[in-house]
Amino acid sequence: MKPAPFSYADPDSLDEALAVLSAEGEGAKVLAGGQSLLPLLNMRLAAPTTLVDINRVPGLDQIEAGGSGVRVGALVRHAALLRSAEASAVQPLLARATANVAHPAIRNRGTTVGSIAHADPSGEMTAVLALTGGSVTVATPDGTSSVDWADLFLGPLETSVHGPAVVTSAFFPALAPRSGTAFAEVARRKGDYAVCGAGVMVTLDEDRRVASARVAYISVGLVPEVHDLTDAVVGRPVDAADWAAAGVMAQGLVDPDGDLHASADYRRLLVGALTARTLASAAAEAQERSA
Amino acid sequence: MTTKLFGEPVRRREDARLIVGQGRYLDDIGSGAYAAAFVRSPYAHARVVDIDVSGALEVEGLLAVYTYEDLTGPMAEPLPVLIPHPQLTHARTGYTLVRDVAHHVGEAVVMVVAVDRYVAEDAAALIEVTWEELPVVVGVDAAEAAVHAVHPDVPDNVAARHHQERGDVEAALAASAHTLSFTQYFERSASMPMEGKGVHARWDADDSALRVHSSTQASTSVRAAIAAKLELSLEKVEVIAPDVGGGFGVKIMHPWPEELLVPMAAIKLGHEVKWVEDRREHFISSAHERQQRQEVAVGYDDDGRITALDVLVWHDNGAYTNYGIIVPINTATQLCGPYDIPVYRARVNSVYTNTVLVTPYRGAGRPQGTFVMERTMDRIAQERGLDRLEVRRRNLIQNDQFPYDWGMTFQDGRPLVYDSGNYPGLVDKLEALVDWPGLEDRRAEAATRGKLLGAGMAMYVEGTGPGPYEGAHVEVLGSGKVLVSTGLTSQGQGHETVFAQLAASELGVPIEDVEVTTGDTRRFGYAVGTFASRAAVVSGNAVALAAKGVREKALRIAAELLEADPGDLEIDEGLVQVKGTPGASIPLRTVAVLSNPLRYAFDEAARQATQFAGPGDDSKPPIAVGDSPGLEYTDYYSPLRSTFAAGAHAAVVEIDPATWEIDVVQYAVVHDCGNVVNPMIVEGQVQGGVAQGVGGALYERMAYDRDGQLQNASFMDFLMPYASEVPDVDIDHQETPSPLNPLGIKGAGEAGVIPGSAAIASAIEDAVGRRIAAMPISPTELYDLMRSDGEQVPRLPSATGVPA
């Protein structure tokens, strides 16, 4: 469990990081928190020729919470996002989901943006980016662009970001008025990758009836999946909505795989249970926020 | 003796050092050593066609590459069968490096030595082995079917047919009022110490002497094995177990190939060589335990009393039988636990599979046996409509039946005789500790929260402290420091504390003056090892005996100096004094100085012992006939046979019927290990054992696929419970002294793990009303079970002792 030889660069500017990435080509990998990358290296499941450590690049460790949403820089640790009251005030789902990311030691090192760029379908923040309709900012030697979540995730551990590029931030839109969120997951052990997880967002209309119910799952598909369950509960007051029916609807929309820890059927069972629970909780919050 | 430490919760003296990172583990030794890495078989069963090392030879920093062809003399012979047994008729062991056929994934084929581990792994990755794949056998069912053979000269895959019998079981079953028969499965897990194995060897060419550090549970025997395999004289080999980060059984297996190959390389290269196992290596090339298929037939009367028990076990021993059939013997002999089973037969067929070898892991065959016995008790309770506690009470061995002779032979080759116990007392205490009568109320309360609550319990008896012996050396220095050494090793159990307590208690000195060394063959050459819950029993008694010898000698010397009768002297806080006569005293350290008559005074203290220092008695030689210089003593404790600890566990689970998640909300243990030396350490042992019991019941399994590939060979997918998954344990003690040893103690190391799967299976069954016939069980499996047409079982009211 020792990595294969690689060279290491720790540039102190984004331009220099991009220059190294350009020079080194396909074999170069960006290192931020290292919580996914370093185990892959040690087990020789990945053998990059160069690691470009961006931890010295200034300005990437900022959380900017404004009216339109929360922008999270590439070096913001999960723990910092979890603690950010400003971010939670704008988009409560961020802290709710981050609390489910692994254990404190991993949250202290691992980065939210790194987790998204890694595109693990078990990663909580991929689902949050998808559910909130967020995007990432990608810097390349040719300039900076924004990539919508729907165009980002191509498959497990695979994104549309190619060539010399650094994902410099992720943007999560603010929670809309009369809306509530919830996040829940079932893991074999506390802090493990979820066997199944669900993040939900419920929005009420001005009469406090359900206008929208949307959900994103983790560990259910190859990429984060967002499903619209509004039809199951639309127009119902919060306390009269059949959240279990929304769960059943969701079960028909997903196509999970089985693995060592959960059969496909069991994942589908959890999709139903977690969907019903989280929707009820999110709707209750939406009702509070509508008061 | 006035210094009382026996029985006190003395804080562990080793913790400060270990917790602040000042422990000295294997990888802390030899920073300048060359590093070894291994090419291991990627196939479960395959023949080596060719090994091409040419790629590796180009790597800068490579020092040596070894294959089987490089082994000579005894190193080229198969590894030893450590514990031969007449019923182990088809023992097979591997070679230190695969000779022609690998029998499991992970078997070492090539050893690479380089300047550091990085380079060694780079070079290993460039070695190309050409393999011819052979048919693979995985699991006891496939082994029994024997469509393929793991070893071609063992076509039925059966290594041993172990057999224990008491009475004519077939006749007794036929005569029983009621009978039941069923089959159940128990899955593999493993010791998984935090620190894997590791070996460091240093060769002194001028002295032709070898010093080996190994993360082992048996340094004296590793020493003997190295000397034999490398054809060295025993006195030229030293083996030291440094701080060891957990063993749990896997490090009692020896010699591991690396324990022989690393010293061999150190000698050949004339340089220190080190190998530290990584986690993947530990998963695929150390040892596992526990897979069995158990076929049970039981006869019982109208009152639920067992009249006959017949068990046929198919036991997966993996690819080799280096450690003999200790695990099958434990299953067969410990299965009946605390119950008076009048007629009993156990047959354990130990079978080969193309998987990592099976050697004892904490509990060592007993969790499986307990699973048979306790699930049988639950079934009888269900059939007879009896409370589960009540059916057990009716079958227990009673206090007046000790010593209870089973007429069988235990794993130490000695008669299976329970020395002492109070099993009804365990049940009474457990009933109170878990509030068994109050469970129906708790079930109802849980139901209001949408949870299914269930309770289960299980009992066990554990043979502990087997021989043949351990020894100890105790010496008082002129400084007053007391050195204690024993040959068995420590893996974090608290031996430094417990042995110091025993020596200090016996000698009458402050515990701060006592220094304990374990597992260092330079200090104590005769030892067996740390396994089978034996350290406190066997080394503990040896330490007490050796300290007693020192005490007697000290009193003899002091009596002359104080002109008193030895019987009138006592030692307290390191001072030898005449009882009831203040002032008539001499420090023990002075006695130590005077015990060694000197010609030369090398320091102030020594002056007192020189030839012109005092008047002396010219009529006697300075050292009496039959005596020896120095205040020291060596003694051994060799038990007549094992001593039998016992306990009762209860688990209460809550299950979420929406997700089938299983939460152990209460775990209660009543524990009897005889006289307790240190209750804090015993409770720690119990708590740790319960953690492994919960792991084995709900989380851990070795997920081999049909090709013999281990699918979960990492801590990401092999799920050991975190602290968040382990319940707090409610513990109550009962102390039934052993009549077999001077201190009256029984072993405590393995107890906590033994009944975990049985108790938790019973609790889940109680909660969901479906038969649990295989462990471990995960939520996804429980969901499958609930959807299946599996057997529904009656839920019994546990509020009252329901009459039959």
PDB file of all heavy atoms in Angstrom, chain A residues 1-2 5 44 103 188-190 192 261 263 265-266 277, chain B residues 121-122 278 656 659 698 715 717 720 722 725 779-780 787:
ATOM      1  N   MET A   1       0.823  -1.197   0.000  1.00  0.00           N
ATOM      2  CA  MET A   1       0.000   0.000   0.000  1.00  0.00           C
ATOM      3  C   MET A   1       0.860   1.251   0.000  1.00  0.00           C
ATOM      4  O   MET A   1       0.776   2.087   0.876  1.00  0.00           O
ATOM      5  CB  MET A   1      -0.933  -0.002   1.215  1.00  0.00           C
ATOM      6  CG  MET A   1      -2.087  -0.974   1.048  1.00  0.00           C
ATOM      7  SD  MET A   1      -3.512  -0.450   1.956  1.00  0.00           S
ATOM      8  CE  MET A   1      -4.515  -1.934   1.882  1.00  0.00           C
ATOM      9  N   LYS A   2       1.729   1.331  -0.967  1.00  0.00           N
ATOM     10  CA  LYS A   2       2.511   2.544  -1.184  1.00  0.00           C
ATOM     11  C   LYS A   2       2.248   2.974  -2.613  1.00  0.00           C
ATOM     12  O   LYS A   2       2.209   2.140  -3.520  1.00  0.00           O
ATOM     13  CB  LYS A   2       4.013   2.281  -1.007  1.00  0.00           C
ATOM     14  CG  LYS A   2       4.398   1.718   0.347  1.00  0.00           C
ATOM     15  CD  LYS A   2       4.232   2.723   1.455  1.00  0.00           C
ATOM     16  CE  LYS A   2       4.673   2.132   2.777  1.00  0.00           C
ATOM     17  NZ  LYS A   2       4.091   2.808   3.934  1.00  0.00           N
ATOM     18  N   PRO A   5       5.431   5.785  -8.133  1.00  0.00           N
ATOM     19  CA  PRO A   5       6.127   7.087  -8.181  1.00  0.00           C
ATOM     20  C   PRO A   5       5.286   8.151  -8.891  1.00  0.00           C
ATOM     21  O   PRO A   5       4.601   7.863  -9.873  1.00  0.00           O
ATOM     22  CB  PRO A   5       7.392   6.789  -8.984  1.00  0.00           C
ATOM     23  CG  PRO A   5       7.593   5.317  -8.868  1.00  0.00           C
ATOM     24  CD  PRO A   5       6.223   4.728  -8.760  1.00  0.00           C
ATOM     25  N   ARG A  44      -2.766   1.737  -5.264  1.00  0.00           N
ATOM     26  CA  ARG A  44      -2.329   1.691  -6.662  1.00  0.00           C
ATOM     27  C   ARG A  44      -3.503   1.459  -7.606  1.00  0.00           C
ATOM     28  O   ARG A  44      -3.354   0.837  -8.658  1.00  0.00           O
ATOM     29  CB  ARG A  44      -1.227   0.638  -6.874  1.00  0.00           C
ATOM     30  CG  ARG A  44       0.026   0.963  -6.072  1.00  0.00           C
ATOM     31  CD  ARG A  44       1.259   0.199  -6.523  1.00  0.00           C
ATOM     32  NE  ARG A  44       2.419   0.607  -5.711  1.00  0.00           N
ATOM     33  CZ  ARG A  44       3.667   0.682  -6.149  1.00  0.00           C
ATOM     34  NH1 ARG A  44       3.958   0.356  -7.379  1.00  0.00           N
ATOM     35  NH2 ARG A  44       4.640   1.068  -5.346  1.00  0.00           N
ATOM     36  N   HIS A 103     -16.936  11.084   8.696  1.00  0.00           N
ATOM     37  CA  HIS A 103     -16.671  11.358  10.108  1.00  0.00           C
ATOM     38  C   HIS A 103     -15.939  12.683  10.249  1.00  0.00           C
ATOM     39  O   HIS A 103     -15.400  13.188   9.279  1.00  0.00           O
ATOM     40  CB  HIS A 103     -15.814  10.232  10.690  1.00  0.00           C
ATOM     41  CG  HIS A 103     -16.428   8.888  10.535  1.00  0.00           C
ATOM     42  ND1 HIS A 103     -16.063   8.028   9.530  1.00  0.00           N
ATOM     43  CD2 HIS A 103     -17.415   8.281  11.212  1.00  0.00           C
ATOM     44  CE1 HIS A 103     -16.805   6.931   9.611  1.00  0.00           C
ATOM     45  NE2 HIS A 103     -17.619   7.053  10.620  1.00  0.00           N
ATOM     46  N   ARG A 188     -24.620   1.466   6.600  1.00  0.00           N
ATOM     47  CA  ARG A 188     -24.413   0.274   7.417  1.00  0.00           C
ATOM     48  C   ARG A 188     -23.841   0.649   8.776  1.00  0.00           C
ATOM     49  O   ARG A 188     -24.180   0.067   9.778  1.00  0.00           O
ATOM     50  CB  ARG A 188     -23.512  -0.730   6.697  1.00  0.00           C
ATOM     51  CG  ARG A 188     -24.180  -1.417   5.544  1.00  0.00           C
ATOM     52  CD  ARG A 188     -25.267  -2.404   6.015  1.00  0.00           C
ATOM     53  NE  ARG A 188     -24.692  -3.669   6.473  1.00  0.00           N
ATOM     54  CZ  ARG A 188     -24.781  -4.129   7.701  1.00  0.00           C
ATOM     55  NH1 ARG A 188     -25.398  -3.428   8.634  1.00  0.00           N
ATOM     56  NH2 ARG A 188     -24.244  -5.276   8.035  1.00  0.00           N
ATOM     57  N   ARG A 189     -22.919   1.598   8.796  1.00  0.00           N
ATOM     58  CA  ARG A 189     -22.385   2.111  10.053  1.00  0.00           C
ATOM     59  C   ARG A 189     -22.450   3.633   9.969  1.00  0.00           C
ATOM     60  O   ARG A 189     -22.371   4.204   8.882  1.00  0.00           O
ATOM     61  CB  ARG A 189     -20.918   1.684  10.239  1.00  0.00           C
ATOM     62  CG  ARG A 189     -20.705   0.201  10.266  1.00  0.00           C
ATOM     63  CD  ARG A 189     -19.216  -0.140  10.245  1.00  0.00           C
ATOM     64  NE  ARG A 189     -18.578   0.320   9.012  1.00  0.00           N
ATOM     65  CZ  ARG A 189     -17.316   0.061   8.696  1.00  0.00           C
ATOM     66  NH1 ARG A 189     -16.543  -0.614   9.513  1.00  0.00           N
ATOM     67  NH2 ARG A 189     -16.803   0.504   7.571  1.00  0.00           N
ATOM     68  N   LYS A 190     -22.538   4.258  11.122  1.00  0.00           N
ATOM     69  CA  LYS A 190     -22.631   5.713  11.131  1.00  0.00           C
ATOM     70  C   LYS A 190     -21.421   6.304  10.424  1.00  0.00           C
ATOM     71  O   LYS A 190     -20.277   5.996  10.757  1.00  0.00           O
ATOM     72  CB  LYS A 190     -22.683   6.200  12.576  1.00  0.00           C
ATOM     73  CG  LYS A 190     -23.004   7.672  12.703  1.00  0.00           C
ATOM     74  CD  LYS A 190     -23.353   8.030  14.130  1.00  0.00           C
ATOM     75  CE  LYS A 190     -23.502   9.528  14.329  1.00  0.00           C
ATOM     76  NZ  LYS A 190     -24.344  10.200  13.326  1.00  0.00           N
ATOM     77  N   ASP A 192     -20.557   5.860   7.274  1.00  0.00           N
ATOM     78  CA  ASP A 192     -20.175   5.140   6.058  1.00  0.00           C
ATOM     79  C   ASP A 192     -20.853   5.770   4.842  1.00  0.00           C
ATOM     80  O   ASP A 192     -21.849   6.493   4.968  1.00  0.00           O
ATOM     81  CB  ASP A 192     -20.637   3.677   6.136  1.00  0.00           C
ATOM     82  CG  ASP A 192     -19.682   2.808   6.928  1.00  0.00           C
ATOM     83  OD1 ASP A 192     -18.665   3.328   7.405  1.00  0.00           O
ATOM     84  OD2 ASP A 192     -19.971   1.604   7.071  1.00  0.00           O
ATOM     85  N   HIS A 261     -23.572  -4.741   0.195  1.00  0.00           N
ATOM     86  CA  HIS A 261     -24.231  -4.254   1.404  1.00  0.00           C
ATOM     87  C   HIS A 261     -25.734  -4.103   1.272  1.00  0.00           C
ATOM     88  O   HIS A 261     -26.425  -3.925   2.273  1.00  0.00           O
ATOM     89  CB  HIS A 261     -23.613  -2.920   1.820  1.00  0.00           C
ATOM     90  CG  HIS A 261     -22.130  -3.011   1.981  1.00  0.00           C
ATOM     91  ND1 HIS A 261     -21.549  -3.867   2.875  1.00  0.00           N
ATOM     92  CD2 HIS A 261     -21.116  -2.384   1.340  1.00  0.00           C
ATOM     93  CE1 HIS A 261     -20.225  -3.753   2.789  1.00  0.00           C
ATOM     94  NE2 HIS A 261     -19.939  -2.881   1.861  1.00  0.00           N
ATOM     95  N   SER A 263     -29.170  -5.247  -1.489  1.00  0.00           N
ATOM     96  CA  SER A 263     -29.714  -5.709  -2.764  1.00  0.00           C
ATOM     97  C   SER A 263     -30.431  -4.542  -3.440  1.00  0.00           C
ATOM     98  O   SER A 263     -30.740  -3.527  -2.805  1.00  0.00           O
ATOM     99  CB  SER A 263     -30.709  -6.852  -2.517  1.00  0.00           C
ATOM    100  OG  SER A 263     -31.844  -6.358  -1.833  1.00  0.00           O
ATOM    101  N   ASP A 265     -33.424  -4.573  -4.448  1.00  0.00           N
ATOM    102  CA  ASP A 265     -34.760  -4.477  -3.839  1.00  0.00           C
ATOM    103  C   ASP A 265     -34.713  -3.716  -2.524  1.00  0.00           C
ATOM    104  O   ASP A 265     -35.614  -2.946  -2.195  1.00  0.00           O
ATOM    105  CB  ASP A 265     -35.329  -5.874  -3.580  1.00  0.00           C
ATOM    106  CG  ASP A 265     -35.920  -6.492  -4.832  1.00  0.00           C
ATOM    107  OD1 ASP A 265     -35.917  -5.804  -5.877  1.00  0.00           O
ATOM    108  OD2 ASP A 265     -36.368  -7.647  -4.755  1.00  0.00           O
ATOM    109  N   TYR A 266     -33.670  -3.980  -1.758  1.00  0.00           N
ATOM    110  CA  TYR A 266     -33.567  -3.291  -0.469  1.00  0.00           C
ATOM    111  C   TYR A 266     -33.363  -1.794  -0.688  1.00  0.00           C
ATOM    112  O   TYR A 266     -33.945  -0.962  -0.001  1.00  0.00           O
ATOM    113  CB  TYR A 266     -32.421  -3.879   0.353  1.00  0.00           C
ATOM    114  CG  TYR A 266     -32.254  -3.227   1.708  1.00  0.00           C
ATOM    115  CD1 TYR A 266     -33.296  -3.241   2.642  1.00  0.00           C
ATOM    116  CD2 TYR A 266     -31.079  -2.564   2.045  1.00  0.00           C
ATOM    117  CE1 TYR A 266     -33.144  -2.633   3.883  1.00  0.00           C
ATOM    118  CE2 TYR A 266     -30.924  -1.956   3.277  1.00  0.00           C
ATOM    119  CZ  TYR A 266     -31.955  -1.989   4.197  1.00  0.00           C
ATOM    120  OH  TYR A 266     -31.822  -1.380   5.412  1.00  0.00           O
ATOM    121  N   ARG A 277     -40.299   9.876   4.569  1.00  0.00           N
ATOM    122  CA  ARG A 277     -39.879  10.561   5.798  1.00  0.00           C
ATOM    123  C   ARG A 277     -39.349  11.961   5.534  1.00  0.00           C
ATOM    124  O   ARG A 277     -39.675  12.914   6.239  1.00  0.00           O
ATOM    125  CB  ARG A 277     -38.768   9.751   6.481  1.00  0.00           C
ATOM    126  CG  ARG A 277     -39.285   8.552   7.218  1.00  0.00           C
ATOM    127  CD  ARG A 277     -38.146   7.791   7.888  1.00  0.00           C
ATOM    128  NE  ARG A 277     -38.659   6.509   8.347  1.00  0.00           N
ATOM    129  CZ  ARG A 277     -37.916   5.558   8.895  1.00  0.00           C
ATOM    130  NH1 ARG A 277     -36.605   5.754   9.030  1.00  0.00           N
ATOM    131  NH2 ARG A 277     -38.460   4.439   9.301  1.00  0.00           N
TER     132      ARG A 277
ATOM    133  N   GLU B 121       7.719  -2.244  -3.568  1.00  0.00           N
ATOM    134  CA  GLU B 121       6.418  -2.443  -4.233  1.00  0.00           C
ATOM    135  C   GLU B 121       6.498  -2.121  -5.718  1.00  0.00           C
ATOM    136  O   GLU B 121       5.834  -2.763  -6.536  1.00  0.00           O
ATOM    137  CB  GLU B 121       5.330  -1.615  -3.532  1.00  0.00           C
ATOM    138  CG  GLU B 121       5.026  -2.154  -2.134  1.00  0.00           C
ATOM    139  CD  GLU B 121       3.750  -1.576  -1.524  1.00  0.00           C
ATOM    140  OE1 GLU B 121       2.925  -1.018  -2.265  1.00  0.00           O
ATOM    141  OE2 GLU B 121       3.588  -1.704  -0.292  1.00  0.00           O
ATOM    142  N   ASP B 122       7.302  -1.105  -6.068  1.00  0.00           N
ATOM    143  CA  ASP B 122       7.503  -0.816  -7.503  1.00  0.00           C
ATOM    144  C   ASP B 122       8.070  -2.048  -8.212  1.00  0.00           C
ATOM    145  O   ASP B 122       7.611  -2.425  -9.295  1.00  0.00           O
ATOM    146  CB  ASP B 122       8.486   0.350  -7.697  1.00  0.00           C
ATOM    147  CG  ASP B 122       7.932   1.679  -7.201  1.00  0.00           C
ATOM    148  OD1 ASP B 122       6.710   1.767  -6.966  1.00  0.00           O
ATOM    149  OD2 ASP B 122       8.730   2.621  -7.041  1.00  0.00           O
ATOM    150  N   ASP B 278       0.484  -4.782   5.231  1.00  0.00           N
ATOM    151  CA  ASP B 278      -0.537  -3.761   5.018  1.00  0.00           C
ATOM    152  C   ASP B 278      -1.911  -4.401   5.132  1.00  0.00           C
ATOM    153  O   ASP B 278      -2.038  -5.621   5.274  1.00  0.00           O
ATOM    154  CB  ASP B 278      -0.306  -2.977   3.715  1.00  0.00           C
ATOM    155  CG  ASP B 278      -0.514  -3.787   2.452  1.00  0.00           C
ATOM    156  OD1 ASP B 278      -1.348  -4.722   2.462  1.00  0.00           O
ATOM    157  OD2 ASP B 278       0.153  -3.483   1.443  1.00  0.00           O
ATOM    158  N   ASP B 656     -36.373  -1.284  12.919  1.00  0.00           N
ATOM    159  CA  ASP B 656     -37.262  -0.356  12.213  1.00  0.00           C
ATOM    160  C   ASP B 656     -37.926  -1.124  11.071  1.00  0.00           C
ATOM    161  O   ASP B 656     -37.240  -1.518  10.113  1.00  0.00           O
ATOM    162  CB  ASP B 656     -36.421   0.812  11.671  1.00  0.00           C
ATOM    163  CG  ASP B 656     -37.281   1.863  10.984  1.00  0.00           C
ATOM    164  OD1 ASP B 656     -38.390   1.526  10.518  1.00  0.00           O
ATOM    165  OD2 ASP B 656     -36.822   3.014  10.910  1.00  0.00           O
ATOM    166  N   THR B 659     -37.164   0.121   7.416  1.00  0.00           N
ATOM    167  CA  THR B 659     -35.849  -0.011   6.794  1.00  0.00           C
ATOM    168  C   THR B 659     -35.123  -1.278   7.224  1.00  0.00           C
ATOM    169  O   THR B 659     -34.056  -1.591   6.703  1.00  0.00           O
ATOM    170  CB  THR B 659     -34.949   1.186   7.182  1.00  0.00           C
ATOM    171  OG1 THR B 659     -34.743   1.141   8.602  1.00  0.00           O
ATOM    172  CG2 THR B 659     -35.592   2.506   6.819  1.00  0.00           C
ATOM    173  N   LEU B 698     -23.702  -8.711  13.356  1.00  0.00           N
ATOM    174  CA  LEU B 698     -24.467  -7.770  12.528  1.00  0.00           C
ATOM    175  C   LEU B 698     -23.675  -7.143  11.375  1.00  0.00           C
ATOM    176  O   LEU B 698     -24.282  -6.545  10.482  1.00  0.00           O
ATOM    177  CB  LEU B 698     -25.017  -6.637  13.407  1.00  0.00           C
ATOM    178  CG  LEU B 698     -26.002  -7.067  14.501  1.00  0.00           C
ATOM    179  CD1 LEU B 698     -26.387  -5.863  15.367  1.00  0.00           C
ATOM    180  CD2 LEU B 698     -27.239  -7.704  13.897  1.00  0.00           C
ATOM    181  N   PHE B 715     -11.189  -1.998   4.875  1.00  0.00           N
ATOM    182  CA  PHE B 715     -12.061  -1.530   5.958  1.00  0.00           C
ATOM    183  C   PHE B 715     -13.237  -0.699   5.434  1.00  0.00           C
ATOM    184  O   PHE B 715     -14.098  -0.309   6.199  1.00  0.00           O
ATOM    185  CB  PHE B 715     -11.256  -0.727   6.972  1.00  0.00           C
ATOM    186  CG  PHE B 715     -10.495  -1.598   7.933  1.00  0.00           C
ATOM    187  CD1 PHE B 715      -9.445  -1.092   8.667  1.00  0.00           C
ATOM    188  CD2 PHE B 715     -10.848  -2.923   8.115  1.00  0.00           C
ATOM    189  CE1 PHE B 715      -8.743  -1.883   9.568  1.00  0.00           C
ATOM    190  CE2 PHE B 715     -10.153  -3.734   9.007  1.00  0.00           C
ATOM    191  CZ  PHE B 715      -9.102  -3.216   9.735  1.00  0.00           C
ATOM    192  N   ASP B 717     -15.264  -1.971   3.096  1.00  0.00           N
ATOM    193  CA  ASP B 717     -16.329  -2.938   2.815  1.00  0.00           C
ATOM    194  C   ASP B 717     -16.411  -4.081   3.813  1.00  0.00           C
ATOM    195  O   ASP B 717     -17.420  -4.781   3.867  1.00  0.00           O
ATOM    196  CB  ASP B 717     -16.154  -3.510   1.408  1.00  0.00           C
ATOM    197  CG  ASP B 717     -16.565  -2.517   0.346  1.00  0.00           C
ATOM    198  OD1 ASP B 717     -17.590  -1.835   0.541  1.00  0.00           O
ATOM    199  OD2 ASP B 717     -15.865  -2.398  -0.667  1.00  0.00           O
ATOM    200  N   MET B 720     -16.277  -3.537  10.327  1.00  0.00           N
ATOM    201  CA  MET B 720     -16.135  -3.697  11.762  1.00  0.00           C
ATOM    202  C   MET B 720     -16.952  -2.594  12.423  1.00  0.00           C
ATOM    203  O   MET B 720     -17.001  -1.480  11.927  1.00  0.00           O
ATOM    204  CB  MET B 720     -14.669  -3.564  12.170  1.00  0.00           C
ATOM    205  CG  MET B 720     -13.819  -4.690  11.602  1.00  0.00           C
ATOM    206  SD  MET B 720     -12.084  -4.468  11.991  1.00  0.00           S
ATOM    207  CE  MET B 720     -12.085  -4.932  13.709  1.00  0.00           C
ATOM    208  N   TYR B 722     -18.015   0.523  14.429  1.00  0.00           N
ATOM    209  CA  TYR B 722     -17.406   1.700  15.061  1.00  0.00           C
ATOM    210  C   TYR B 722     -17.921   1.775  16.504  1.00  0.00           C
ATOM    211  O   TYR B 722     -18.852   1.061  16.897  1.00  0.00           O
ATOM    212  CB  TYR B 722     -17.820   2.977  14.348  1.00  0.00           C
ATOM    213  CG  TYR B 722     -17.471   3.079  12.889  1.00  0.00           C
ATOM    214  CD1 TYR B 722     -18.417   3.499  11.963  1.00  0.00           C
ATOM    215  CD2 TYR B 722     -16.187   2.797  12.430  1.00  0.00           C
ATOM    216  CE1 TYR B 722     -18.109   3.625  10.622  1.00  0.00           C
ATOM    217  CE2 TYR B 722     -15.874   2.929  11.085  1.00  0.00           C
ATOM    218  CZ  TYR B 722     -16.831   3.338  10.184  1.00  0.00           C
ATOM    219  OH  TYR B 722     -16.520   3.469   8.854  1.00  0.00           O
ATOM    220  N   GLU B 725     -21.595   1.885  16.782  1.00  0.00           N
ATOM    221  CA  GLU B 725     -22.413   0.673  16.602  1.00  0.00           C
ATOM    222  C   GLU B 725     -22.352  -0.243  17.813  1.00  0.00           C
ATOM    223  O   GLU B 725     -23.074  -1.242  17.876  1.00  0.00           O
ATOM    224  CB  GLU B 725     -21.929  -0.111  15.379  1.00  0.00           C
ATOM    225  CG  GLU B 725     -22.444   0.441  14.061  1.00  0.00           C
ATOM    226  CD  GLU B 725     -21.896   1.803  13.737  1.00  0.00           C
ATOM    227  OE1 GLU B 725     -20.673   1.996  13.849  1.00  0.00           O
ATOM    228  OE2 GLU B 725     -22.692   2.699  13.399  1.00  0.00           O
ATOM    229  N   PRO B 779     -29.377  -5.659   7.473  1.00  0.00           N
ATOM    230  CA  PRO B 779     -30.730  -5.195   7.152  1.00  0.00           C
ATOM    231  C   PRO B 779     -31.245  -5.717   5.810  1.00  0.00           C
ATOM    232  O   PRO B 779     -32.410  -6.100   5.701  1.00  0.00           O
ATOM    233  CB  PRO B 779     -30.584  -3.675   7.152  1.00  0.00           C
ATOM    234  CG  PRO B 779     -29.481  -3.422   8.130  1.00  0.00           C
ATOM    235  CD  PRO B 779     -28.517  -4.556   7.922  1.00  0.00           C
ATOM    236  N   THR B 780     -30.373  -5.754   4.814  1.00  0.00           N
ATOM    237  CA  THR B 780     -30.851  -6.216   3.501  1.00  0.00           C
ATOM    238  C   THR B 780     -31.239  -7.700   3.570  1.00  0.00           C
ATOM    239  O   THR B 780     -32.219  -8.134   2.962  1.00  0.00           O
ATOM    240  CB  THR B 780     -29.802  -5.929   2.399  1.00  0.00           C
ATOM    241  OG1 THR B 780     -30.353  -6.207   1.129  1.00  0.00           O
ATOM    242  CG2 THR B 780     -28.532  -6.722   2.578  1.00  0.00           C
ATOM    243  N   ARG B 787     -39.601 -11.071   3.652  1.00  0.00           N
ATOM    244  CA  ARG B 787     -40.414 -11.237   2.437  1.00  0.00           C
ATOM    245  C   ARG B 787     -40.507 -12.694   2.008  1.00  0.00           C
ATOM    246  O   ARG B 787     -41.278 -13.032   1.136  1.00  0.00           O
ATOM    247  CB  ARG B 787     -39.808 -10.431   1.280  1.00  0.00           C
ATOM    248  CG  ARG B 787     -39.917  -8.930   1.465  1.00  0.00           C
ATOM    249  CD  ARG B 787     -39.433  -8.225   0.223  1.00  0.00           C
ATOM    250  NE  ARG B 787     -38.035  -8.562  -0.055  1.00  0.00           N
ATOM    251  CZ  ARG B 787     -37.472  -8.398  -1.240  1.00  0.00           C
ATOM    252  NH1 ARG B 787     -38.165  -7.945  -2.262  1.00  0.00           N
ATOM    253  NH2 ARG B 787     -36.192  -8.703  -1.404  1.00  0.00           N
TER     254      ARG B 787
END
